[in-house]
Amino acid sequence: MLNVSTQELAPVSVDVEQAEAALVEHYPRLVRIAYLVLPPSLGRNRRVLTAHSVVQRSLPRGRTGTMVAGPMPVGRGAAAPGYVYVRGQVLRQTLEAGLPLWRWAWPGRARFPPLLPQVWGLRLFPRSGGADELALDQRLSALSGPARAAYVLRGLERLPDGDVLEVLAEAGVADPGAALLDAEGAAPEGAGTTALLDSPEFDPCSLQARPTDLMRRRQHAKAALAAVAALLVCGTLLGLPGEGWSPDGAAAPPYARNPAAEAALDPGRLHRVAPAAWQSSARTDFSVWPARGTLTGDSALLRRALAVWARPGSLVQVSATPGTPPGPPMGAPQLLFAGAVDRSHVVLFHDGLRIVRYAEPGDGTTGGAALDFARVDGADAPSSGAVVVGRGQGNVRYLTAPWVTRVSASDLLDPAAPPRALRRDAQGVTDPLASPATRDGDCRSWNALELTDADASRLVADLGELAPARLTWGPPSAPTDVPGAAKEARAAWARTACLLPSMSAHGVRTVNSWEYARQDLPERNGTAAWLCTRAETWRGTGSRTLAQFQAPSSREPADAPAAIAAGSLGSAACGPRDPRVLAGALWKSRAGQWYLLAAGSEQFTSLIASGGVRGSARGNLLAVRASQGAQAELGGRLADGTRLGALR
């Protein structure tokens, strides 16, 4: 249960979903904090990699909630508790990274070079600044690790001294007061210092690259080649046949000729659907998409794509959505597209289970090939309206289904704005559209694709995968597409859209949101809405459920996002199998009084709170006076007497 206030947040229990959402949203700022606090003696290349590594290792280890106490940063919205937790973990690890290995204690992971991320053959460092940035870096290098942390918390995070002491104590600093005094004596923290700390000199997300020692690399490469040759000779000797079966039994050698495998690699045997087949087919999905693109007759390109699919080399970037097998085709696949997209040559295949995208540089240079897999089995007309054909420079291009008659773009955060027409070429490829899936920083807009066919208009959103997720509205038993829903659907999605990054890269097929309760707030503070948002996956498991609290607000949706009251991974709650949901939150009125608010779906006939806050109410709504930071357990009863707990 999350403590929610339209003015500030109380200490709360943070789960891994909340921490992940805060990490993704504020990743550049967290990495900057880690880079500034790490000791300069590590060198800029290792500081960059270590900063990224400690931030990526800052999520809670378990699924249960982790208590977070301390000052909540202004303007973080619903991500504030998660941000405070992740920031504390980042500070703890970066301070540990500055300790010597010979201390009488088992060295933590942060004191060793990072395993991930790792870059071979290049040295990475931020852009060089001016004389002021150099002077600031020298002053920071003269400070101890805790003093650098205090300096960054005051100058970059703009925390008052009392909050700085509290954050340092939570991070394990033995003497926070001394660290603060050292930081204060280094230089006055003002607007100028804040601007310097925000400069590109200290931005480990905007990097320059230079080669490493080339002569040493050449010597290492020769040694590695000799070692590989020795291993191959030893492996061949050990694999000579002896008595009994080999480890692979009666299987043929890896490079034996196999008719089915050869057919899958032959461009001449690709399955090509006629352009008008979808009009008379009993099915309306990817299986009736025609082969489109200006390079469908390029046998050399198709042969390379099929060969890389079957045997991707070490230089090929391979990605797959969760639950999607990245193996070779079982037979000749269906060709969906082959053509030039921006500066790449792209080929799209469909094998009945997966969409496979192959991309290579369009200028004929070798290297840089990419292979992406996305599971799409069980697709229907609404979920097969478009597929991502290209990404680049923060934009995305879609290949639309042949039955789509009109394509437009809608900003989910601006529900009153009409959709903008999006042009398509003769092959069905759209113009580039700014993608929120590749954007860092604040959520100020969220572009969704509106697809119109003869039956309906549908909204889909890019969540960083080949198949965009369909957005719907309404109770789980009868969801409808957002364009055809009532006006309140757009208004609710406007405050929900910024929560979508927490559902990205999980193989999401649909995201449905619905208002399960409305509650009149105490002291005549208006009416709040309780929403449940559920993401279903293509694989059927791993669904994500979020309960939202939307307090009344006159601000723009981007400045008043919904607050996450509860979350669950893999639960049936809020779905077609179990449409019931119960969630609660701490809320503070405009007069300063704290309340425990709770709301259940219409199946609940009574609610009860126990623990730090006690109270009960008939019906599916509860409002009880509480104190800041109070913890309570929520439960409710259904009409048949069954008792259910809150979503978690």
Side-chain angles (χ1 to χ4, degrees):
M1 181 183 67
L2 179 66
N3 297 344
V4 178
S5 171
T6 57
Q7 301 173 21
E8 62 176 311
L9 293 177
V12 294
S13 176
V14 175
D15 56 27
V16 68
E17 287 82 9
Q18 292 172 277
E20 181 184 15
L23 188 149
V24 171
E25 181 179 359
H26 303 289
Y27 185 83
R29 188 175 188 87
L30 292 167
V31 177
R32 184 187 290 267
I33 292 174
Y35 182 83
L36 287 166
V37 178
L38 283 169
S41 59
L42 294 178
R44 290 197 293 175
N45 180 72
R46 182 171 167 185
R47 282 174 73 190
V48 167
L49 297 178
T50 304
H52 284 273
S53 177
V54 298
V55 172
Q56 294 173 15
R57 294 200 312 267
S58 295
L59 293 178
R61 294 187 178 274
R63 290 288 177 184
T64 58
T66 301
M67 287 302 301
V68 173
M72 298 295 171
V74 177
R76 299 290 179 194
Y83 177 81
V84 170
Y85 173 83
V86 175
R87 183 184 65 189
Q89 293 300 308
V90 168
L91 289 174
R92 186 180 297 274
Q93 292 183 76
T94 50
L95 290 174
E96 182 182 352
L99 299 177
L101 287 173
W102 44 263
R103 291 182 71 228
W104 290 102
W106 184 260
R109 177 68 192 88
R111 277 188 270 171
F112 294 94
L115 297 176
L116 290 174
Q118 192 62 259
V119 179
W120 297 94
L122 289 174
R123 299 187 63 82
L124 303 177
F125 50 90
R127 300 174 182 176
S128 299
D132 293 337
E133 287 84 355
L134 179 60
L136 176 59
D137 191 45
Q138 292 174 347
R139 290 197 300 270
L140 290 176
S141 65
L143 297 176
S144 64
R148 282 193 301 273
Y151 194 99
V152 171
L153 290 173
R154 296 183 72 197
L156 186 64
E157 292 292 85
R158 301 181 183 178
L159 294 181
D161 291 349
D163 293 345
V164 172
L165 294 174
E166 185 174 352
V167 173
L168 292 178
E170 288 289 335
V173 175
D175 192 351
L180 186 59
L181 288 175
D182 291 343
E184 187 175 13
E189 286 78 14
T193 299
T194 301
L196 289 177
L197 292 173
D198 264 324
S199 67
E201 170 77 11
F202 306 109
D203 183 8
C205 291
S206 179
L207 302 171
Q208 293 180 319
R210 293 293 184 272
T212 55
D213 189 331
L214 299 180
M215 294 301 298
R216 182 178 298 178
R217 258 171 53 187
R218 183 177 298 176
Q219 295 172 356
H220 290 175
K222 292 180 180 179
L225 185 61
V228 170
L231 287 175
L232 289 176
V233 172
C234 294
T236 302
L237 294 176
L238 292 175
L240 291 176
E243 297 181 359
W245 287 102
S246 66
D248 292 334
Y255 297 100
R257 301 175 67 88
N258 179 276
E262 290 179 349
L265 298 177
D266 185 358
R269 299 191 183 185
L270 284 171
H271 181 48
R272 301 170 187 251
V273 177
W278 64 272
Q279 298 177 2
S280 57
S281 173
R283 300 175 58 177
T284 308
D285 55 20
F286 292 111
S287 66
V288 294
W289 276 33
R292 289 174 286 177
T294 58
L295 299 178
T296 54
D298 190 338
S299 298
L301 170 64
L302 298 178
R303 186 179 300 278
R304 288 195 301 272
L306 291 170
V308 171
W309 182 0
R311 302 183 306 276
S314 59
L315 299 180
V316 179
Q317 300 179 12
V318 181
S319 69
T321 57
T324 303
M330 296 176 287
Q334 174 189 355
L335 177 63
L336 301 183
F337 177 85
V341 180
D342 296 326
R343 299 181 180 179
S344 301
H345 288 166
V346 176
V347 183
L348 289 176
F349 299 109
H350 177 239
D351 67 353
L353 173 69
R354 303 164 293 181
I355 291 288
V356 181
R357 176 183 178 272
Y358 168 80
E360 67 179 24
D363 56 5
T365 58
T366 59
L371 193 64
D372 303 315
F373 297 86
R375 185 170 175 174
V376 293
D377 53 317
D380 52 12
S383 57
S384 60
V387 65
V388 172
V389 71
R391 295 183 187 275
Q393 299 179 346
N395 297 322
V396 62
R397 290 181 185 265
Y398 297 92
L399 177 67
T400 57
W403 55 83
V404 172
T405 59
R406 187 173 72 252
V407 180
S408 54
S410 296
D411 184 358
L412 292 180
L413 270 64
D414 190 1
R420 311 182 307 276
L422 191 63
R423 194 186 68 86
R424 292 182 292 172
D425 62 17
Q427 308 300 326
V429 177
T430 68
D431 281 351
L433 179 67
S435 172
T438 59
R439 179 186 58 206
D440 294 329
D442 294 337
C443 179
R444 308 302 304 179
S445 65
W446 191 284
N447 285 325
L449 194 70
E450 186 168 334
L451 305 172
T452 303
D453 55 31
D455 298 326
S457 293
R458 303 177 177 90
L459 273 184
V460 296
D462 178 26
L463 297 184
E465 303 168 354
L466 288 180
R470 179 187 176 194
L471 306 182
T472 58
W473 171 265
S477 58
T480 60
D481 287 290
V482 175
K487 291 183 179 180
E488 58 264 23
R490 287 280 189 149
W493 263 110
R495 301 181 64 181
T496 302
C498 291
L499 302 180
L500 287 175
S502 64
M503 302 175 179
S504 62
H506 291 286
V508 175
R509 176 173 182 167
T510 61
V511 182
N512 182 60
S513 191
W514 63 293
E515 182 182 293
Y516 68 87
R518 294 188 71 84
Q519 184 174 23
D520 292 332
L521 298 176
E523 302 179 16
R524 298 182 179 180
N525 277 202
T527 302
W530 292 86
L531 279 74
C532 195
T533 302
R534 180 180 174 88
E536 300 286 0
T537 65
W538 285 97
R539 62 190 183 277
T541 59
S543 60
R544 294 195 167 212
T545 306
L546 299 177
Q548 306 175 42
F549 175 76
Q550 294 188 357
S553 176
S554 59
R555 294 181 294 172
E556 294 295 325
D559 298 321
I564 301 176
S568 178
L569 178 63
S571 170
C574 200
R577 292 182 178 272
D578 185 8
R580 300 166 298 195
V581 60
L582 170 63
L586 281 179
W587 170 83
K588 188 169 71 172
S589 69
R590 289 191 291 265
Q593 175 61 49
W594 286 89
Y595 288 88
L596 170 65
L597 304 179
S601 52
E602 62 182 2
Q603 296 89 349
F604 285 86
T605 58
S606 64
L607 302 181
I608 186 171
S610 59
V613 182
R614 295 181 177 273
S616 61
R618 292 185 178 276
N620 64 334
L621 301 174
L622 173 69
V624 183
R625 286 178 177 268
S627 58
Q628 180 180 0
Q631 299 291 320
E633 291 291 331
L634 289 176
R637 291 190 180 275
L638 307 180
D640 61 0
T642 303
R643 181 179 176 86
L644 292 180
L647 178 71
R648 62 180 60 192

